[in-house]
Amino acid sequence: MKAFALLVTVACCASIPLAAQNLPPAMNFDSAANPLTLPDDVYLGEVGGVATNSRGDIFVYTRTGHPTLSMATARPFAHGGSRLFQFDRSGKFTREIGQGLYGFLFAAQVRVDPQDNLWVVDEMSGMVIKFDPQGRVALLLGRKPESVNNPPRAGGAGGGAEGGAGGRGRAPGAGADQDVFNRPTDVAWDSQGNIFVADGRGNARIAKFSKDGVFVKSWGQKGNAPGQFADVDSIVVDALGNVYAADAGNGRIQVFDNNGTYQREIGNVGNAQAICITPGSNQVMFVSNSNPPNDLDKAGEIYKMRLDGTMVGKFGRAGKLLKEFGSVSAIDCRTEATLYIGEVGNFRVQKLTMR
Amino acid sequence: MVLMVGTVIAQQKATITGVPDIPFTSVANFLKLPAGEYLGESVAVATDSKGNTYVYHRRDTTRLFQFDRNGTFVKEIGKGYYGFEFAHSVRVDKDDNIWTVDEGTNLVTKFSPEGKVLMVVGRRPPAIDGPVVFPAGPNKPAEKYILCRPTDVGWDPQGNIFISDGYCNNRVVKYDKAGRFVAQAGSEKAGTALGEFNLPHGLQVDERGNVWVADRTNNRYQVLDNNLKPIKEITNLGTGWTLCISPGPHQYVFHSNSNPNGNPPGSWDTTGEIYKTELDGTVIGKFGKPGKVAPGFQVVHMLDCRNPSEIVLGEIESWRVQKYVFQSGASSRTAAR
């Protein structure tokens, strides 16, 4: 049966001209007018991540200011710059989590695992932070660079993390056999709880850890060949444990098995800055072809596709109005019908209802 | 110790002569701050249709305060907001939305009257890029959706958005009301021809949709049509720091030949006055002069003239906002025109 389905898929796609594949049907959707109720004195900045848990609570990890650098200390130290907010399922503000936390500098992503733990990825501190559902720090991957290099080192991240050039004789972007990240962007888990970190925009690799945070392996380096990345911008794992890594700079999503063996690539996805996969069976994937922050006049749409890469439909475009998207950085898709979209450009979260 | 030295801008004495003085009174202690609150450099001030006053000022961080029509503090808007770093302008549109122009984050933000973010134009340079080296050399090419130290914002009656941009671009940009780029005049390069700018520092749009620009380092104002084609320049009112245009069927323009930062020797004798003109350029009168003590000016940076008989103005170097009320004789004389 499975082989038959695969055969049908291949036959179907091979018979459709490429141009038609680039024009998936437009999908209808609505965007709620004010999905989040912000208290006075709480503002969203650039949204790195948005995610929901099993109860419908909404978490937003956002850049609320720039890290402050200390002057005339032994070295310049960076503090602050991002905050993590929780809202209930109606969008009412519940609380702030991790206020003043050491690693909150430049919000990259937030995800919720199947046990409702909260995972935050910070691109500048290089930290992947697991909170338990009560908001306590439960596991840490990475280490925040002690200080910021000024002037910045060539090729280094703003946080001064090393390893971008490969280090220790490794290929550029290959990183080290450790949880030393250089501009990590995302995190995902398989059904056993193994952790996959997208690392990221300084390194160009995927790092796998056991559920207890023991390093297992990493793969990938800078480049455009199979198994190489321009950047690793977003990562999801399907129910079978396959790893889908958005490689926006190469206009593709690469698929690996659970051990990092290259399987295939999904092309025609443009600037894939954010991907999401629905839970359960019959999984589908949403991919944002995000417009770059300096251009509102190209891209910006979100694709819905099957895991084999077949396009189901597309919706939205770049812009500032409701139902338009400004450099999407995050998609939450607990169901196919309701999506939460985080935007860098418009300092907001949209709640979409697909029709 | 000098922390940061900006470009030294030569200040020009106005060439116009024989302009009558407009008599006025200054409202003492116009804004009443709660105990423990302070204004910083009060570079930006605007009023809404209900008489509220907004002050966007440089303090510990850049902050936006709201006061009621009596000058009583109401609330702070945008506390801890990502788009606030170094204030430059605040303006209120016809629907009472509050727009901030932040020269530090390169962002123009539209807030609802309740203080919620409705739209953002531009992008703050991301912190992940690390500390910024003080720029040297030629400006980078201007981009449609990236601003570079923007200075001011205005709207035409259709809601199109006009931004003067700024200290490291030298252009005026038009966006439609949805925030999409339409056109620009000027570029990243400074120039002296009509339609070119050297530090476009203030901007407003009149009811006909013409765009008025304070072209500061060129010591002039320029008037552009709605598609940003230049119409004329005004060169006799000194250095064009900023301007406001009163609403309604008979509009007036107020132009500030502000005294320069640092109060260089002799500058108090040659600068600091504000001119009131008709849209056709006829100069009606002038008022004000530099001074540390009110009603003197210390580098007027923004004017609000929602009511052309009452000017609210923000100053850089005295960390205060003043309200000038024109005496009735002057009002009736100008109203009779």
Side-chain angles (χ1 to χ4, degrees), chain A residues 38 43 46 63-66 158 183 294 296-297 317-318 320 347, chain B residues 78 80-82 115-116 120 123-125 127-128 143-146 180:
Chain A
L38 293 160
Y43 292 84
E46 294 185 345
R63 302 163 195 160
T64 49
H66 274 18
R183 303 186 59 179
N294 66 348
L296 227 56
D297 300 320
R317 65 164 186 164
K320 297 179 186 295
F347 296 6
Chain B
Y81 169 59
Y82 187 71
K116 302 299 181 189
V120 182
R123 192 192 185 198
R124 182 173 186 166
I128 193 71
E143 296 186 72
K144 286 191 292 186
Y145 293 101
I146 300 291
R180 288 190 188 277

PDB file of all heavy atoms in Angstrom, chain A residues 38 43 46 63-66 158 183 294 296-297 317-318 320 347, chain B residues 78 80-82 115-116 120 123-125 127-128 143-146 180:
ATOM      1  N   LEU A  38      -2.481  42.640  25.183  1.00  0.00           N
ATOM      2  CA  LEU A  38      -1.269  43.032  25.896  1.00  0.00           C
ATOM      3  C   LEU A  38      -1.611  44.031  26.988  1.00  0.00           C
ATOM      4  O   LEU A  38      -2.328  44.998  26.743  1.00  0.00           O
ATOM      5  CB  LEU A  38      -0.271  43.664  24.916  1.00  0.00           C
ATOM      6  CG  LEU A  38       0.323  42.719  23.870  1.00  0.00           C
ATOM      7  CD1 LEU A  38       0.879  43.499  22.693  1.00  0.00           C
ATOM      8  CD2 LEU A  38       1.414  41.866  24.493  1.00  0.00           C
ATOM      9  N   TYR A  43       4.968  45.297  25.428  1.00  0.00           N
ATOM     10  CA  TYR A  43       4.983  45.470  23.983  1.00  0.00           C
ATOM     11  C   TYR A  43       5.748  44.325  23.351  1.00  0.00           C
ATOM     12  O   TYR A  43       6.744  43.882  23.893  1.00  0.00           O
ATOM     13  CB  TYR A  43       5.649  46.801  23.592  1.00  0.00           C
ATOM     14  CG  TYR A  43       4.837  47.994  24.006  1.00  0.00           C
ATOM     15  CD1 TYR A  43       4.935  48.513  25.298  1.00  0.00           C
ATOM     16  CD2 TYR A  43       3.943  48.582  23.122  1.00  0.00           C
ATOM     17  CE1 TYR A  43       4.164  49.592  25.697  1.00  0.00           C
ATOM     18  CE2 TYR A  43       3.178  49.661  23.511  1.00  0.00           C
ATOM     19  CZ  TYR A  43       3.287  50.163  24.790  1.00  0.00           C
ATOM     20  OH  TYR A  43       2.523  51.232  25.173  1.00  0.00           O
ATOM     21  N   GLU A  46      10.260  42.567  17.613  1.00  0.00           N
ATOM     22  CA  GLU A  46      10.395  41.520  16.613  1.00  0.00           C
ATOM     23  C   GLU A  46      10.101  40.181  17.274  1.00  0.00           C
ATOM     24  O   GLU A  46      10.709  39.838  18.292  1.00  0.00           O
ATOM     25  CB  GLU A  46      11.803  41.526  16.018  1.00  0.00           C
ATOM     26  CG  GLU A  46      12.116  42.781  15.220  1.00  0.00           C
ATOM     27  CD  GLU A  46      13.464  42.750  14.533  1.00  0.00           C
ATOM     28  OE1 GLU A  46      14.293  41.883  14.878  1.00  0.00           O
ATOM     29  OE2 GLU A  46      13.695  43.576  13.643  1.00  0.00           O
ATOM     30  N   ARG A  63      11.931  40.086  20.838  1.00  0.00           N
ATOM     31  CA  ARG A  63      13.029  41.039  21.073  1.00  0.00           C
ATOM     32  C   ARG A  63      12.412  42.358  21.548  1.00  0.00           C
ATOM     33  O   ARG A  63      11.726  43.036  20.791  1.00  0.00           O
ATOM     34  CB  ARG A  63      13.819  41.240  19.780  1.00  0.00           C
ATOM     35  CG  ARG A  63      14.379  39.936  19.244  1.00  0.00           C
ATOM     36  CD  ARG A  63      14.809  40.008  17.784  1.00  0.00           C
ATOM     37  NE  ARG A  63      14.988  38.651  17.272  1.00  0.00           N
ATOM     38  CZ  ARG A  63      14.983  38.323  15.980  1.00  0.00           C
ATOM     39  NH1 ARG A  63      14.845  39.268  15.052  1.00  0.00           N
ATOM     40  NH2 ARG A  63      15.123  37.076  15.612  1.00  0.00           N
ATOM     41  N   THR A  64      12.646  42.667  22.788  1.00  0.00           N
ATOM     42  CA  THR A  64      11.994  43.833  23.380  1.00  0.00           C
ATOM     43  C   THR A  64      12.926  45.026  23.478  1.00  0.00           C
ATOM     44  O   THR A  64      12.524  46.101  23.924  1.00  0.00           O
ATOM     45  CB  THR A  64      11.472  43.482  24.775  1.00  0.00           C
ATOM     46  OG1 THR A  64      12.511  42.835  25.502  1.00  0.00           O
ATOM     47  CG2 THR A  64      10.281  42.563  24.683  1.00  0.00           C
ATOM     48  N   GLY A  65      14.145  44.852  23.122  1.00  0.00           N
ATOM     49  CA  GLY A  65      15.114  45.943  23.147  1.00  0.00           C
ATOM     50  C   GLY A  65      16.431  45.342  22.741  1.00  0.00           C
ATOM     51  O   GLY A  65      16.502  44.154  22.465  1.00  0.00           O
ATOM     52  N   HIS A  66      17.468  46.147  22.674  1.00  0.00           N
ATOM     53  CA  HIS A  66      18.764  45.573  22.356  1.00  0.00           C
ATOM     54  C   HIS A  66      19.515  45.285  23.638  1.00  0.00           C
ATOM     55  O   HIS A  66      19.349  45.991  24.631  1.00  0.00           O
ATOM     56  CB  HIS A  66      19.572  46.530  21.484  1.00  0.00           C
ATOM     57  CG  HIS A  66      19.269  46.368  20.023  1.00  0.00           C
ATOM     58  ND1 HIS A  66      18.134  45.744  19.565  1.00  0.00           N
ATOM     59  CD2 HIS A  66      19.962  46.724  18.921  1.00  0.00           C
ATOM     60  CE1 HIS A  66      18.150  45.739  18.241  1.00  0.00           C
ATOM     61  NE2 HIS A  66      19.235  46.335  17.822  1.00  0.00           N
ATOM     62  N   GLY A 158      27.471  38.169  16.851  1.00  0.00           N
ATOM     63  CA  GLY A 158      27.477  39.361  17.674  1.00  0.00           C
ATOM     64  C   GLY A 158      27.824  39.047  19.104  1.00  0.00           C
ATOM     65  O   GLY A 158      28.433  39.839  19.803  1.00  0.00           O
ATOM     66  N   ARG A 183      24.936  31.027  16.776  1.00  0.00           N
ATOM     67  CA  ARG A 183      23.674  31.535  16.248  1.00  0.00           C
ATOM     68  C   ARG A 183      22.652  30.413  15.978  1.00  0.00           C
ATOM     69  O   ARG A 183      22.179  30.256  14.848  1.00  0.00           O
ATOM     70  CB  ARG A 183      23.911  32.398  14.997  1.00  0.00           C
ATOM     71  CG  ARG A 183      24.851  33.570  15.246  1.00  0.00           C
ATOM     72  CD  ARG A 183      24.965  34.493  14.062  1.00  0.00           C
ATOM     73  NE  ARG A 183      23.648  35.046  13.687  1.00  0.00           N
ATOM     74  CZ  ARG A 183      23.457  35.905  12.696  1.00  0.00           C
ATOM     75  NH1 ARG A 183      24.474  36.329  11.990  1.00  0.00           N
ATOM     76  NH2 ARG A 183      22.255  36.347  12.419  1.00  0.00           N
ATOM     77  N   ASN A 294      13.959  43.854   4.441  1.00  0.00           N
ATOM     78  CA  ASN A 294      14.122  45.104   3.694  1.00  0.00           C
ATOM     79  C   ASN A 294      13.294  45.142   2.418  1.00  0.00           C
ATOM     80  O   ASN A 294      13.495  46.009   1.582  1.00  0.00           O
ATOM     81  CB  ASN A 294      15.602  45.336   3.359  1.00  0.00           C
ATOM     82  CG  ASN A 294      16.142  44.289   2.401  1.00  0.00           C
ATOM     83  OD1 ASN A 294      15.505  43.272   2.147  1.00  0.00           O
ATOM     84  ND2 ASN A 294      17.316  44.540   1.870  1.00  0.00           N
ATOM     85  N   LEU A 296       9.210  44.492   0.991  1.00  0.00           N
ATOM     86  CA  LEU A 296       7.809  44.099   1.159  1.00  0.00           C
ATOM     87  C   LEU A 296       7.187  43.668  -0.159  1.00  0.00           C
ATOM     88  O   LEU A 296       6.026  43.283  -0.201  1.00  0.00           O
ATOM     89  CB  LEU A 296       7.038  45.313   1.688  1.00  0.00           C
ATOM     90  CG  LEU A 296       6.087  45.135   2.861  1.00  0.00           C
ATOM     91  CD1 LEU A 296       6.808  44.547   4.041  1.00  0.00           C
ATOM     92  CD2 LEU A 296       5.471  46.474   3.225  1.00  0.00           C
ATOM     93  N   ASP A 297       7.959  43.763  -1.214  1.00  0.00           N
ATOM     94  CA  ASP A 297       7.377  43.599  -2.546  1.00  0.00           C
ATOM     95  C   ASP A 297       7.717  42.260  -3.180  1.00  0.00           C
ATOM     96  O   ASP A 297       7.552  42.080  -4.387  1.00  0.00           O
ATOM     97  CB  ASP A 297       7.810  44.759  -3.446  1.00  0.00           C
ATOM     98  CG  ASP A 297       7.354  46.092  -2.877  1.00  0.00           C
ATOM     99  OD1 ASP A 297       6.225  46.140  -2.365  1.00  0.00           O
ATOM    100  OD2 ASP A 297       8.133  47.051  -2.910  1.00  0.00           O
ATOM    101  N   ARG A 317       0.636  37.109   1.732  1.00  0.00           N
ATOM    102  CA  ARG A 317       1.692  37.784   0.997  1.00  0.00           C
ATOM    103  C   ARG A 317       2.376  38.751   1.949  1.00  0.00           C
ATOM    104  O   ARG A 317       1.862  39.029   3.039  1.00  0.00           O
ATOM    105  CB  ARG A 317       1.135  38.540  -0.209  1.00  0.00           C
ATOM    106  CG  ARG A 317       0.203  39.683   0.162  1.00  0.00           C
ATOM    107  CD  ARG A 317       0.003  40.637  -1.011  1.00  0.00           C
ATOM    108  NE  ARG A 317      -0.781  41.815  -0.619  1.00  0.00           N
ATOM    109  CZ  ARG A 317      -0.835  42.931  -1.334  1.00  0.00           C
ATOM    110  NH1 ARG A 317      -0.158  43.037  -2.460  1.00  0.00           N
ATOM    111  NH2 ARG A 317      -1.558  43.957  -0.914  1.00  0.00           N
ATOM    112  N   ALA A 318       3.501  39.296   1.510  1.00  0.00           N
ATOM    113  CA  ALA A 318       4.224  40.242   2.361  1.00  0.00           C
ATOM    114  C   ALA A 318       3.430  41.527   2.521  1.00  0.00           C
ATOM    115  O   ALA A 318       2.761  41.973   1.584  1.00  0.00           O
ATOM    116  CB  ALA A 318       5.596  40.536   1.770  1.00  0.00           C
ATOM    117  N   LYS A 320       1.939  44.743   5.687  1.00  0.00           N
ATOM    118  CA  LYS A 320       1.792  45.195   7.060  1.00  0.00           C
ATOM    119  C   LYS A 320       0.368  45.069   7.580  1.00  0.00           C
ATOM    120  O   LYS A 320       0.123  45.246   8.768  1.00  0.00           O
ATOM    121  CB  LYS A 320       2.244  46.648   7.179  1.00  0.00           C
ATOM    122  CG  LYS A 320       3.722  46.862   6.863  1.00  0.00           C
ATOM    123  CD  LYS A 320       4.101  48.327   6.975  1.00  0.00           C
ATOM    124  CE  LYS A 320       5.543  48.553   6.526  1.00  0.00           C
ATOM    125  NZ  LYS A 320       6.529  47.895   7.408  1.00  0.00           N
ATOM    126  N   PHE A 347       6.034  43.109  14.408  1.00  0.00           N
ATOM    127  CA  PHE A 347       6.010  43.104  15.878  1.00  0.00           C
ATOM    128  C   PHE A 347       4.693  42.520  16.405  1.00  0.00           C
ATOM    129  O   PHE A 347       4.063  43.078  17.304  1.00  0.00           O
ATOM    130  CB  PHE A 347       6.164  44.523  16.438  1.00  0.00           C
ATOM    131  CG  PHE A 347       7.464  45.192  16.130  1.00  0.00           C
ATOM    132  CD1 PHE A 347       8.399  44.624  15.290  1.00  0.00           C
ATOM    133  CD2 PHE A 347       7.773  46.429  16.692  1.00  0.00           C
ATOM    134  CE1 PHE A 347       9.603  45.255  15.010  1.00  0.00           C
ATOM    135  CE2 PHE A 347       8.971  47.067  16.428  1.00  0.00           C
ATOM    136  CZ  PHE A 347       9.875  46.491  15.579  1.00  0.00           C
TER     137      PHE A 347
ATOM    138  N   GLY B  78       4.533  53.008  25.510  1.00  0.00           N
ATOM    139  CA  GLY B  78       5.709  52.391  24.892  1.00  0.00           C
ATOM    140  C   GLY B  78       6.843  52.104  25.852  1.00  0.00           C
ATOM    141  O   GLY B  78       7.998  52.009  25.425  1.00  0.00           O
ATOM    142  N   GLY B  80       9.541  50.339  27.512  1.00  0.00           N
ATOM    143  CA  GLY B  80      10.262  49.123  27.160  1.00  0.00           C
ATOM    144  C   GLY B  80      10.048  48.663  25.733  1.00  0.00           C
ATOM    145  O   GLY B  80      10.391  47.542  25.384  1.00  0.00           O
ATOM    146  N   TYR B  81       9.513  49.540  24.886  1.00  0.00           N
ATOM    147  CA  TYR B  81       9.210  49.155  23.499  1.00  0.00           C
ATOM    148  C   TYR B  81      10.485  49.094  22.646  1.00  0.00           C
ATOM    149  O   TYR B  81      11.372  49.946  22.769  1.00  0.00           O
ATOM    150  CB  TYR B  81       8.203  50.156  22.919  1.00  0.00           C
ATOM    151  CG  TYR B  81       7.983  50.044  21.434  1.00  0.00           C
ATOM    152  CD1 TYR B  81       7.528  48.863  20.873  1.00  0.00           C
ATOM    153  CD2 TYR B  81       8.239  51.123  20.588  1.00  0.00           C
ATOM    154  CE1 TYR B  81       7.341  48.759  19.512  1.00  0.00           C
ATOM    155  CE2 TYR B  81       8.042  51.038  19.229  1.00  0.00           C
ATOM    156  CZ  TYR B  81       7.594  49.847  18.695  1.00  0.00           C
ATOM    157  OH  TYR B  81       7.411  49.750  17.343  1.00  0.00           O
ATOM    158  N   TYR B  82      10.503  48.088  21.769  1.00  0.00           N
ATOM    159  CA  TYR B  82      11.679  47.793  20.936  1.00  0.00           C
ATOM    160  C   TYR B  82      12.071  48.949  20.017  1.00  0.00           C
ATOM    161  O   TYR B  82      13.220  49.082  19.624  1.00  0.00           O
ATOM    162  CB  TYR B  82      11.361  46.549  20.102  1.00  0.00           C
ATOM    163  CG  TYR B  82      12.480  45.966  19.292  1.00  0.00           C
ATOM    164  CD1 TYR B  82      13.534  45.299  19.909  1.00  0.00           C
ATOM    165  CD2 TYR B  82      12.483  46.034  17.903  1.00  0.00           C
ATOM    166  CE1 TYR B  82      14.548  44.724  19.180  1.00  0.00           C
ATOM    167  CE2 TYR B  82      13.497  45.464  17.148  1.00  0.00           C
ATOM    168  CZ  TYR B  82      14.528  44.815  17.792  1.00  0.00           C
ATOM    169  OH  TYR B  82      15.533  44.247  17.049  1.00  0.00           O
ATOM    170  N   GLY B 115      -2.415  53.554  22.626  1.00  0.00           N
ATOM    171  CA  GLY B 115      -1.013  53.231  22.843  1.00  0.00           C
ATOM    172  C   GLY B 115      -0.604  51.838  22.401  1.00  0.00           C
ATOM    173  O   GLY B 115       0.427  51.331  22.833  1.00  0.00           O
ATOM    174  N   LYS B 116      -1.393  51.211  21.523  1.00  0.00           N
ATOM    175  CA  LYS B 116      -1.023  49.894  21.002  1.00  0.00           C
ATOM    176  C   LYS B 116      -0.364  50.050  19.638  1.00  0.00           C
ATOM    177  O   LYS B 116      -0.784  50.892  18.835  1.00  0.00           O
ATOM    178  CB  LYS B 116      -2.257  48.995  20.879  1.00  0.00           C
ATOM    179  CG  LYS B 116      -3.012  48.780  22.197  1.00  0.00           C
ATOM    180  CD  LYS B 116      -2.150  48.107  23.252  1.00  0.00           C
ATOM    181  CE  LYS B 116      -2.918  47.886  24.543  1.00  0.00           C
ATOM    182  NZ  LYS B 116      -2.047  47.420  25.651  1.00  0.00           N
ATOM    183  N   VAL B 120       4.622  49.403  11.868  1.00  0.00           N
ATOM    184  CA  VAL B 120       6.035  49.725  12.006  1.00  0.00           C
ATOM    185  C   VAL B 120       6.602  49.921  10.608  1.00  0.00           C
ATOM    186  O   VAL B 120       6.340  49.112   9.719  1.00  0.00           O
ATOM    187  CB  VAL B 120       6.788  48.583  12.710  1.00  0.00           C
ATOM    188  CG1 VAL B 120       8.243  48.948  12.889  1.00  0.00           C
ATOM    189  CG2 VAL B 120       6.146  48.261  14.054  1.00  0.00           C
ATOM    190  N   ARG B 123      13.372  48.940   9.741  1.00  0.00           N
ATOM    191  CA  ARG B 123      13.807  47.851  10.622  1.00  0.00           C
ATOM    192  C   ARG B 123      14.963  48.314  11.490  1.00  0.00           C
ATOM    193  O   ARG B 123      15.890  48.972  11.015  1.00  0.00           O
ATOM    194  CB  ARG B 123      14.257  46.631   9.822  1.00  0.00           C
ATOM    195  CG  ARG B 123      14.412  45.435  10.768  1.00  0.00           C
ATOM    196  CD  ARG B 123      15.111  44.229  10.203  1.00  0.00           C
ATOM    197  NE  ARG B 123      15.059  43.151  11.208  1.00  0.00           N
ATOM    198  CZ  ARG B 123      15.836  42.084  11.200  1.00  0.00           C
ATOM    199  NH1 ARG B 123      16.723  41.920  10.250  1.00  0.00           N
ATOM    200  NH2 ARG B 123      15.731  41.175  12.153  1.00  0.00           N
ATOM    201  N   ARG B 124      14.866  47.941  12.765  1.00  0.00           N
ATOM    202  CA  ARG B 124      15.974  48.204  13.671  1.00  0.00           C
ATOM    203  C   ARG B 124      17.142  47.294  13.293  1.00  0.00           C
ATOM    204  O   ARG B 124      16.953  46.090  13.101  1.00  0.00           O
ATOM    205  CB  ARG B 124      15.533  47.907  15.104  1.00  0.00           C
ATOM    206  CG  ARG B 124      16.604  48.205  16.121  1.00  0.00           C
ATOM    207  CD  ARG B 124      16.086  48.059  17.549  1.00  0.00           C
ATOM    208  NE  ARG B 124      17.138  48.493  18.451  1.00  0.00           N
ATOM    209  CZ  ARG B 124      16.968  48.756  19.738  1.00  0.00           C
ATOM    210  NH1 ARG B 124      15.794  48.602  20.293  1.00  0.00           N
ATOM    211  NH2 ARG B 124      17.974  49.167  20.475  1.00  0.00           N
ATOM    212  N   PRO B 125      18.362  47.844  13.195  1.00  0.00           N
ATOM    213  CA  PRO B 125      19.494  46.965  12.904  1.00  0.00           C
ATOM    214  C   PRO B 125      19.560  45.884  13.983  1.00  0.00           C
ATOM    215  O   PRO B 125      19.518  46.193  15.175  1.00  0.00           O
ATOM    216  CB  PRO B 125      20.698  47.908  12.981  1.00  0.00           C
ATOM    217  CG  PRO B 125      20.138  49.271  12.744  1.00  0.00           C
ATOM    218  CD  PRO B 125      18.761  49.247  13.335  1.00  0.00           C
ATOM    219  N   ALA B 127      20.526  43.261  16.794  1.00  0.00           N
ATOM    220  CA  ALA B 127      21.622  43.205  17.768  1.00  0.00           C
ATOM    221  C   ALA B 127      22.594  42.079  17.463  1.00  0.00           C
ATOM    222  O   ALA B 127      23.764  42.153  17.820  1.00  0.00           O
ATOM    223  CB  ALA B 127      21.045  43.032  19.172  1.00  0.00           C
ATOM    224  N   ILE B 128      22.094  41.043  16.784  1.00  0.00           N
ATOM    225  CA  ILE B 128      22.948  39.892  16.500  1.00  0.00           C
ATOM    226  C   ILE B 128      24.136  40.298  15.641  1.00  0.00           C
ATOM    227  O   ILE B 128      25.159  39.628  15.612  1.00  0.00           O
ATOM    228  CB  ILE B 128      22.121  38.774  15.822  1.00  0.00           C
ATOM    229  CG1 ILE B 128      22.875  37.444  15.788  1.00  0.00           C
ATOM    230  CG2 ILE B 128      21.648  39.182  14.444  1.00  0.00           C
ATOM    231  CD1 ILE B 128      23.008  36.785  17.114  1.00  0.00           C
ATOM    232  N   GLU B 143      17.540  52.089   0.741  1.00  0.00           N
ATOM    233  CA  GLU B 143      16.651  50.977   0.414  1.00  0.00           C
ATOM    234  C   GLU B 143      15.206  51.401   0.648  1.00  0.00           C
ATOM    235  O   GLU B 143      14.920  52.234   1.491  1.00  0.00           O
ATOM    236  CB  GLU B 143      16.958  49.762   1.278  1.00  0.00           C
ATOM    237  CG  GLU B 143      18.333  49.168   1.059  1.00  0.00           C
ATOM    238  CD  GLU B 143      18.499  47.884   1.859  1.00  0.00           C
ATOM    239  OE1 GLU B 143      17.896  46.884   1.493  1.00  0.00           O
ATOM    240  OE2 GLU B 143      19.223  47.907   2.867  1.00  0.00           O
ATOM    241  N   LYS B 144      14.295  50.727  -0.064  1.00  0.00           N
ATOM    242  CA  LYS B 144      12.896  51.120   0.000  1.00  0.00           C
ATOM    243  C   LYS B 144      12.328  51.040   1.415  1.00  0.00           C
ATOM    244  O   LYS B 144      11.576  51.913   1.848  1.00  0.00           O
ATOM    245  CB  LYS B 144      12.058  50.195  -0.920  1.00  0.00           C
ATOM    246  CG  LYS B 144      12.234  50.467  -2.388  1.00  0.00           C
ATOM    247  CD  LYS B 144      11.205  49.723  -3.233  1.00  0.00           C
ATOM    248  CE  LYS B 144      11.436  48.215  -3.205  1.00  0.00           C
ATOM    249  NZ  LYS B 144      10.528  47.501  -4.131  1.00  0.00           N
ATOM    250  N   TYR B 145      12.671  49.977   2.121  1.00  0.00           N
ATOM    251  CA  TYR B 145      12.000  49.715   3.389  1.00  0.00           C
ATOM    252  C   TYR B 145      12.939  49.791   4.595  1.00  0.00           C
ATOM    253  O   TYR B 145      12.604  49.339   5.671  1.00  0.00           O
ATOM    254  CB  TYR B 145      11.314  48.344   3.346  1.00  0.00           C
ATOM    255  CG  TYR B 145      10.158  48.309   2.367  1.00  0.00           C
ATOM    256  CD1 TYR B 145      10.298  47.732   1.113  1.00  0.00           C
ATOM    257  CD2 TYR B 145       8.942  48.885   2.701  1.00  0.00           C
ATOM    258  CE1 TYR B 145       9.245  47.703   0.216  1.00  0.00           C
ATOM    259  CE2 TYR B 145       7.878  48.872   1.810  1.00  0.00           C
ATOM    260  CZ  TYR B 145       8.033  48.279   0.572  1.00  0.00           C
ATOM    261  OH  TYR B 145       6.980  48.265  -0.308  1.00  0.00           O
ATOM    262  N   ILE B 146      14.137  50.324   4.377  1.00  0.00           N
ATOM    263  CA  ILE B 146      15.072  50.501   5.488  1.00  0.00           C
ATOM    264  C   ILE B 146      15.343  51.991   5.629  1.00  0.00           C
ATOM    265  O   ILE B 146      15.711  52.651   4.647  1.00  0.00           O
ATOM    266  CB  ILE B 146      16.386  49.735   5.228  1.00  0.00           C
ATOM    267  CG1 ILE B 146      16.116  48.236   5.056  1.00  0.00           C
ATOM    268  CG2 ILE B 146      17.383  50.001   6.351  1.00  0.00           C
ATOM    269  CD1 ILE B 146      15.668  47.521   6.303  1.00  0.00           C
ATOM    270  N   ARG B 180       3.262  50.506   1.921  1.00  0.00           N
ATOM    271  CA  ARG B 180       4.020  50.100   0.735  1.00  0.00           C
ATOM    272  C   ARG B 180       4.697  51.294   0.086  1.00  0.00           C
ATOM    273  O   ARG B 180       4.090  52.353  -0.077  1.00  0.00           O
ATOM    274  CB  ARG B 180       3.104  49.406  -0.282  1.00  0.00           C
ATOM    275  CG  ARG B 180       2.696  48.052   0.183  1.00  0.00           C
ATOM    276  CD  ARG B 180       2.000  47.230  -0.874  1.00  0.00           C
ATOM    277  NE  ARG B 180       1.504  46.029  -0.220  1.00  0.00           N
ATOM    278  CZ  ARG B 180       2.261  44.942  -0.001  1.00  0.00           C
ATOM    279  NH1 ARG B 180       3.490  44.901  -0.428  1.00  0.00           N
ATOM    280  NH2 ARG B 180       1.760  43.909   0.646  1.00  0.00           N
TER     281      ARG B 180
END
